[in-house]
Amino acid sequence: MASFKIEGGHKLNGTITPQGAKNEVLQILCAVLLTPERVVVNNVPDIIDVNKLIFILGELGVKVEKLSSNAYAFQADDINLEYLESADFKRDGSSLRGSIMIVGPLLARFGKGYIPRPGGDKIGRRRLDTHFEGFIRLGAKFRYNKEEYFYGVEADELQGTEMLLDEASVTGTANILMAAVLAKGETKIYNAACEPYIQQLSKMLNSMGAKISGVGSNLLVIEGVESLGGCEHTVLPDMIEIGSWIGVAVMTRSELTIKNVSWKDLGQIPSVFRKLGITLEKKGDDIYIPEQESYEIQNYIDGSVLTVADAPWPGFTPDLLSIVLVIATQAKGTVLIHQKMFESRLFFVDKLIDMGAKVILCDPHRATVIGHNFESQLKATKMTSPDIRAGISLLIAALSAKGTSIINNIEQIDRGYENIEARLKSIGAKIERIED
């Protein structure tokens, strides 16, 4: 177990380039299983969750070649399906929620896919029903071993069909999409997730020979094909990391440039930060954040308190609500944060309250934040990171706090953020990693 020691209260300055998008690359890496041909993936972030999935692919028999620090070649021409029923896979797969997305490609190409109940963030229950109901609709038989928490789907042949997803699940849409591209006939997926990551996966699959239309909408139409070929794909910059760096700049009242952010794929993110009073300037494909001594939350036209809530894309991403909450603690004004899509993600606010923030946790899904307007600095404390997003939010709070904070369980942060302490140091942060 490792910890961060952070000396807060220092202004930062410089330029940051965001890593590749974790939530996209986990889908893209699973898609390499759909073809025996070589697939090259660029802008792969060097983070724990991605490296775990690359390890699992290697154990499955995928040939993995590291071309540079953030580029890999994969070739799935000799897959070891016996690994799927091994004790090693039950251990490896259960530690990574993203491993669920190997099931769709394996089912499509080999007629069977197995997965132990995946772990991941402690952010409440996240059902897998959407995934398996989709596979069943395509003609797969489902089985579940309660004693070992082990899921399986099998099919001699998948058949195209129409389905309405019970929730616009990003991973569920990706998994079903990867199964449907090799099914016989046409598949229509209604209420599909339409995040940029799903759009990227669709573009990649089409470049491999798939026939997917409706990309970017919530109705995907897939005409099944016999086989897919190789391709080269470049992963988008991580929009959650971009939002995190905005939080770092604002809370430390620093000037920062975030390079190559792919503005067209950021959706509502810039406008939500602007509603908090934050100045963001578009410079080419970069975000420039000037030094801001104060920022004021906009009320609604009738004067009522602003609500920031998450929603499926093109709504505001749930992964940035914790960052918005932390930023609001030093804003001028009041905001209601409404976390609709996940349970337990707001429970980290007790750490912010310990640091002196004015936050009222209304219920497990809503918190009201009364901003200090920097008139009262947060106080340093010792805390533990419960999950990736709360972890980075607490880190941002610590960078702005008076005194030295300790954050334990930083492996959670490492799961989603590449080399975070070195990158923070490069812009002047006083942060140190302590190995226990």
Side-chain angles (χ1 to χ4, degrees):
M1 299 289 283
S3 305
F4 280 141
K5 181 180 177 183
I6 302 127
E7 185 182 304
H10 297 283
K11 290 206 174 188
L12 313 177
N13 185 273
T15 299
I16 287 289
T17 301
Q19 68 189 33
K22 172 194 165 184
N23 289 342
E24 176 188 339
V25 79
L26 293 176
Q27 301 175 21
I28 297 302
L29 295 183
C30 293
V32 307
L33 292 166
L34 284 165
T35 177
E37 296 185 17
R38 179 181 165 96
V39 175
V40 174
V41 185
N42 302 308
N43 203 26
V44 178
D46 182 11
I47 56 177
I48 287 174
D49 279 7
V50 170
N51 294 335
K52 273 185 183 176
L53 183 54
I54 291 172
F55 172 80
I56 288 171
L57 291 175
E59 293 296 288
L60 259 172
V62 178
K63 298 179 180 71
V64 180
E65 182 186 352
K66 192 166 186 177
L67 304 176
S68 67
S69 58
N70 295 104
Y72 288 82
F74 301 91
Q75 191 154 5
D77 58 350
D78 187 18
I79 294 298
N80 172 24
L81 293 174
E82 290 178 4
Y83 169 67
L84 293 174
E85 299 186 67
S86 69
D88 287 344
F89 178 60
K90 287 170 186 172
R91 180 196 65 230
D92 301 336
S94 63
S95 67
L96 174 65
R97 185 169 182 85
S99 62
I100 181 67
M101 288 183 289
I102 70 171
V103 176
L106 289 171
L107 175 65
R109 189 167 157 216
F110 300 103
K112 57 183 178 180
Y114 307 122
I115 195 74
R117 185 169 68 179
D121 284 345
K122 294 178 180 176
I123 60 170
R125 291 167 293 180
R126 292 192 285 180
R127 297 181 295 109
L128 298 177
D129 299 55
T130 302
H131 300 249
F132 290 109
E133 285 171 5
F135 298 144
I136 292 165
R137 291 281 297 159
L138 289 167
K141 289 187 173 64
F142 171 73
R143 58 190 179 91
Y144 175 49
N145 183 326
K146 275 189 176 179
E147 285 72 33
E148 298 185 0
Y149 294 115
F150 203 64
Y151 302 88
V153 279
E154 297 170 349
D156 293 331
E157 182 179 86
L158 296 179
Q159 187 68 45
T161 187
E162 289 192 9
M163 66 180 79
L164 171 65
L165 304 189
D166 64 343
E167 60 173 350
S169 163
V170 177
T171 55
T173 300
N175 223 347
I176 296 163
L177 180 62
M178 288 188 281
V181 291
L182 294 179
K184 295 282 185 188
E186 183 183 79
T187 300
K188 290 184 176 179
I189 306 174
Y190 292 88
N191 195 31
C194 46
E195 270 79 354
Y197 307 138
I198 293 291
Q199 296 176 39
Q200 285 283 99
L201 174 64
S202 299
K203 289 172 187 172
M204 174 190 176
L205 293 172
N206 281 343
S207 74
M208 295 167 73
K211 295 179 180 177
I212 304 166
S213 57
V215 177
S217 77
N218 61 2
L219 170 57
L220 293 175
V221 180
I222 306 104
E223 188 64 45
V225 296
E226 287 290 324
S227 62
L228 296 177
C231 71
E232 183 167 354
H233 179 82
T234 299
V235 175
L236 286 175
D238 195 312
M239 68 172 80
I240 313 306
E241 201 196 54
I242 291 163
S244 304
W245 288 113
I246 294 171
V248 168
V250 169
M251 286 293 284
T252 59
R253 292 187 275 186
S254 302
E255 179 184 2
L256 195 65
T257 297
I258 310 171
K259 301 289 289 181
N260 304 324
V261 300
S262 191
W263 267 88
K264 65 182 177 60
D265 295 302
L266 292 180
Q268 290 192 24
I269 292 170
S271 65
V272 169
F273 283 115
R274 284 171 176 146
K275 285 177 184 175
L276 298 174
I278 296 160
T279 301
L280 303 175
E281 296 178 20
K282 184 178 187 295
K283 294 193 171 182
D285 207 26
D286 303 342
I287 292 176
Y288 170 70
I289 305 150
E291 189 176 311
Q292 294 161 81
E293 290 302 312
S294 179
Y295 48 99
E296 184 172 359
I297 297 168
Q298 296 174 14
N299 286 339
Y300 289 115
I301 293 169
D302 64 358
S304 57
V305 171
L306 176 72
T307 296
V308 177
D310 59 341
W313 191 271
F316 188 65
T317 172
D319 285 340
L320 282 176
L321 273 187
S322 57
I323 305 287
V324 167
L325 194 153
V326 168
I327 289 172
T329 64
Q330 289 297 0
K332 182 180 180 181
T334 299
V335 64
L336 175 67
I337 307 295
H338 192 173
Q339 168 62 267
K340 297 177 181 178
M341 294 174 66
F342 296 106
E343 301 170 331
S344 311
R345 266 201 175 175
L346 296 181
F347 288 161
F348 78 101
V349 300
D350 60 343
K351 315 292 192 307
L352 296 176
I353 293 167
D354 289 346
M355 298 175 82
K358 292 180 182 175
V359 184
I360 302 162
L361 188 61
C362 310
D363 57 44
H365 292 276
R366 294 179 301 161
T368 301
V369 188
I370 300 125
H372 286 165
N373 195 26
F374 289 108
E375 291 169 4
S376 174
Q377 198 172 359
L378 296 179
K379 310 296 186 295
T381 189
K382 185 173 183 178
M383 44 200 163
T384 298
S385 169
D387 63 71
I388 299 172
R389 306 311 173 192
I392 199 71
S393 303
L394 294 172
L395 175 53
I396 291 168
L399 287 166
S400 76
K402 184 178 182 180
T404 300
S405 295
I406 302 291
I407 302 179
N408 298 320
N409 194 30
I410 60 169
E411 288 81 5
Q412 286 285 358
I413 299 172
D414 290 337
R415 286 179 50 223
Y417 292 84
E418 181 178 331
N419 208 8
I420 189 70
E421 73 272 22
R423 297 161 82 202
L424 281 166
K425 283 179 179 177
S426 74
I427 56 174
K430 308 289 184 185
I431 181 170
E432 180 185 347
R433 181 180 289 260
I434 304 164
E435 299 290 345
D436 294 347

